[in-house]
Amino acid sequence: MSKIVWLASYPKSGNTWVRFIIAHLVYQNIVTSDDVHRLIPDIHKGITSFHLIGERNIFIKSHLKYFDGMPLREDTIGAIYIVRNPLDMIASAINYFAIRDVKTLSEVSDEQQNTIRQSVIREFLEKGAPERWLRVGMGTWTEHVSSWLRKDLPFPRLVLRYEDLKTKPGECVADLCQFLNIERSAEQIDAAVAASSFDSMREMEEREIGEGRPGLFGLENPREAFSLGLRFMNRGDSGSYREVLTDEQAELAKQRFGPVMTKLGYEADAPPRIYTFANGIKIDRKHLLQIQCDRYQAPGNPNLHEPVEEDCFLSLFEKLPGGIATFMDIGAAVGYYSILVKRRFPQAAIHAIDALERHCQAFVETFALNELSMDGVTVHKSALADKEGTVQFLDQAYGSMVLPDGQGSRFHARAISAEAHRLDTYVARAGESVDLAKMDIQGGEAAVLESSGTVLRDGKVRSWIIGTHGPEQHKRCLDCLSAHHRILFEDPKPAFQPDGIIVAVHESVEYPIDHALAD
């Protein structure tokens, strides 16, 4: 009989992620998600006699809370317990139930969809878990954690926190190797981490969907969900609950789960509501993801949003002849860079462009929080695209973007219709002359520049700071700008920033060569 090492967790806490890590670490040669499911079966579906017969050790996934009559308990030799902040688990569970109930959600209005999602939140807050999870023996989050971590269990356990896997995966995987008594080099650990990253797993899911064999991911998703753009690999963020739960709901969740959260190192007490950067800019934490706050406070980061990009802004403020009279903030979000400009050039005209209503509202709130006037500031609730008219826009927090033609609401449940304009239209609205444009539009930047008409050639935007998203976008942007601009700085992977960066000035600008940022 095989000896069992459990991969145990409450649902939506990272179990699939750890299955992939172990598969790459222990078995290697993982090509498809079916390989993972075959080698590390799920007690709820897919376990066979093949897994249990023989003298060997085997990993089995489980979402059951531990109980004295647990199947295979006599053959258990250890458990890896994965735990996640329960507030983020709730946010992830809402996407999960949207997937499971896709036939219902695809046939109701947005208001009705929200009612369904709110009912899931209400079950967590009132009962500790959705009724369907309670019926099948998963218990509440508190019961589940307590059952697997109780002191009298007769086998060793390793606790892995989802958040630690995000911030220090190498250390966590090294701990995993030690627990399993297997030797792996630092290179092998790094390879397992890379092959199991969110992006790698999401790429595998998309590839398998495209090939008509969604594998392990298809066990979790009805096929109807794929056609609506719903994915098992949804976001993988820490702190995403702030976009899903109201402040009141988050507080109620902390009250319910607080004692166990504290034992696991999660702060049940809310951090200060306002996040303050080293430069004094204040932003309400409800507008930030935890992964962003972690990046701001990482060793070496001077507690700035994107330190390399901010240095570029400050250099242009000082060296651009004539200063900044008109600033265009494309993909403005909460307005961090508009605040930088407003503080340095109070009389500047600022045009903030963002297609999401809540980002536009957050922009105004953040200006008020920083005690700045909105005089001279125009907020355009619309998208920047390579065409005029209406586009499908993926509402995905700070990853929101214009979708390619044909990939609208039919394929993405979170797509909205948005008004869109080309770059030359926005420049005309700004008076045909923009001193500095910042553009961060999640992969649409090259297409916008390529369709910009005479804007680039004629220098209607004197200087640019562009966030690039991937090597191809970075190269295409450089190609567009190089004909009529001097590239002051470019880096596809700057430190402490998720995106690449290009800084350029038009050839007509008398920017001193010895002040080129790349120097």
Side-chain angles (χ1 to χ4, degrees), residues 195-397:
S196 308
S197 69
F198 179 89
D199 288 344
S200 294
M201 292 171 65
R202 181 64 182 266
E203 182 181 343
M204 179 181 287
E205 181 179 15
E206 294 291 350
R207 183 175 67 251
E208 293 184 353
I209 290 170
E211 294 171 353
R213 51 176 186 85
L216 181 153
F217 306 109
L219 295 175
E220 302 288 352
N221 284 19
R223 290 187 181 274
E224 294 88 344
F226 295 135
S227 65
L228 290 171
L230 294 168
R231 297 293 185 263
F232 179 78
M233 298 302 298
N234 181 39
R235 290 180 56 180
D237 292 332
S238 295
S240 59
Y241 74 85
R242 294 185 179 90
E243 298 179 36
V244 177
L245 305 180
T246 65
D247 290 345
E248 180 182 3
Q249 289 170 336
E251 186 57 37
L252 289 171
K254 290 172 183 176
Q255 291 174 16
R256 172 171 282 280
F257 303 123
V260 178
M261 288 178 68
T262 300
K263 288 180 181 179
L264 292 167
Y266 298 115
E267 292 195 11
D269 295 329
R273 187 177 69 87
I274 305 303
Y275 188 94
T276 304
F277 292 91
N279 58 18
I281 291 178
K282 297 179 175 66
I283 294 181
D284 193 312
R285 282 181 181 264
K286 69 183 179 182
H287 301 314
L288 297 174
L289 301 175
Q290 187 59 47
I291 192 172
Q292 292 176 300
C293 295
D294 292 343
R295 189 178 79 233
Y296 304 151
Q297 298 171 11
N301 188 335
N303 187 27
L304 296 172
H305 176 57
E306 293 179 337
V308 175
E309 190 161 347
E310 188 154 335
D311 280 347
C312 295
F313 265 90
L314 297 179
S315 293
L316 284 174
F317 288 175
E318 295 299 321
K319 309 302 180 184
L320 191 67
I324 311 295
T326 304
F327 173 58
M328 187 171 289
D329 194 349
I330 305 165
V334 299
Y336 183 96
Y337 290 111
S338 287
I339 289 173
L340 278 183
V341 172
K342 187 70 171 178
R343 293 198 313 190
R344 179 65 176 80
F345 302 98
Q347 303 307 314
I350 295 175
H351 292 265
I353 299 166
D354 202 295
L356 295 180
E357 175 68 32
R358 69 175 181 278
H359 282 181
C360 294
Q361 293 174 351
F363 184 102
V364 175
E365 290 175 13
T366 305
F367 257 60
L369 180 62
N370 287 272
E371 300 181 348
L372 292 172
S373 168
M374 288 289 290
D375 289 348
V377 180
T378 303
V379 179
H380 304 263
K381 192 181 81 67
S382 52
L384 174 65
D386 58 357
K387 63 180 181 181
E388 295 283 325
T390 300
V391 296
Q392 289 297 297
F393 193 84
L394 182 59
D395 181 351
Q396 191 168 266

Side-chain angles (χ1 to χ4, degrees), residues 292-507:
Q292 292 176 300
C293 295
D294 292 343
R295 189 178 79 233
Y296 304 151
Q297 298 171 11
N301 188 335
N303 187 27
L304 296 172
H305 176 57
E306 293 179 337
V308 175
E309 190 161 347
E310 188 154 335
D311 280 347
C312 295
F313 265 90
L314 297 179
S315 293
L316 284 174
F317 288 175
E318 295 299 321
K319 309 302 180 184
L320 191 67
I324 311 295
T326 304
F327 173 58
M328 187 171 289
D329 194 349
I330 305 165
V334 299
Y336 183 96
Y337 290 111
S338 287
I339 289 173
L340 278 183
V341 172
K342 187 70 171 178
R343 293 198 313 190
R344 179 65 176 80
F345 302 98
Q347 303 307 314
I350 295 175
H351 292 265
I353 299 166
D354 202 295
L356 295 180
E357 175 68 32
R358 69 175 181 278
H359 282 181
C360 294
Q361 293 174 351
F363 184 102
V364 175
E365 290 175 13
T366 305
F367 257 60
L369 180 62
N370 287 272
E371 300 181 348
L372 292 172
S373 168
M374 288 289 290
D375 289 348
V377 180
T378 303
V379 179
H380 304 263
K381 192 181 81 67
S382 52
L384 174 65
D386 58 357
K387 63 180 181 181
E388 295 283 325
T390 300
V391 296
Q392 289 297 297
F393 193 84
L394 182 59
D395 181 351
Q396 191 168 266
Y398 297 112
S400 300
M401 60 183 176
V402 173
L403 289 166
D405 289 340
Q407 294 188 29
S409 57
R410 178 183 174 191
F411 299 100
H412 290 278
R414 300 187 69 177
I416 61 172
S417 294
E419 175 187 344
H421 301 286
R422 287 164 35 115
L423 179 61
D424 48 0
T425 298
Y426 285 114
V427 170
R429 290 181 178 182
E432 295 292 352
S433 178
V434 174
D435 295 299
L436 172 60
K438 179 228 84 181
M439 180 163 61
D440 185 357
I441 55 173
Q442 303 301 315
E445 54 272 13
V448 162
L449 294 180
E450 290 164 352
S451 63
S452 62
T454 61
V455 170
L456 296 185
R457 185 195 68 194
D458 295 347
K460 294 178 181 179
V461 176
R462 293 205 300 151
S463 61
W464 286 95
I465 296 181
I466 301 173
T468 59
H469 301 80
E472 180 189 359
Q473 289 288 319
H474 194 84
K475 182 181 183 302
R476 286 169 62 192
C477 288
L478 286 173
D479 290 344
C480 286
L481 291 167
S482 60
H484 299 287
H485 293 74
R486 184 176 349 146
I487 306 301
L488 301 182
F489 180 79
E490 60 93 7
D491 188 344
K493 291 185 178 181
F496 304 111
Q497 296 189 198
D499 311 325
I501 182 172
I502 297 174
V503 184
V505 295
H506 189 259
E507 59 191 2

Side-chain angles (χ1 to χ4, degrees), residues 6-7 15-16 19 41-44 59-63 220:
W6 294 103
L7 297 188
N15 199 303
T16 300
R19 286 171 83 187
D42 182 339
I43 195 173
H44 308 282
F59 301 94
I60 299 179
K61 167 193 170 180
S62 176
H63 287 321
E220 302 288 352

Side-chain angles (χ1 to χ4, degrees), residues 49-62:
S49 58
F50 163 79
H51 298 106
L52 302 179
I53 294 174
E55 296 296 324
R56 56 177 175 163
N57 297 339
I58 187 165
F59 301 94
I60 299 179
K61 167 193 170 180
S62 176

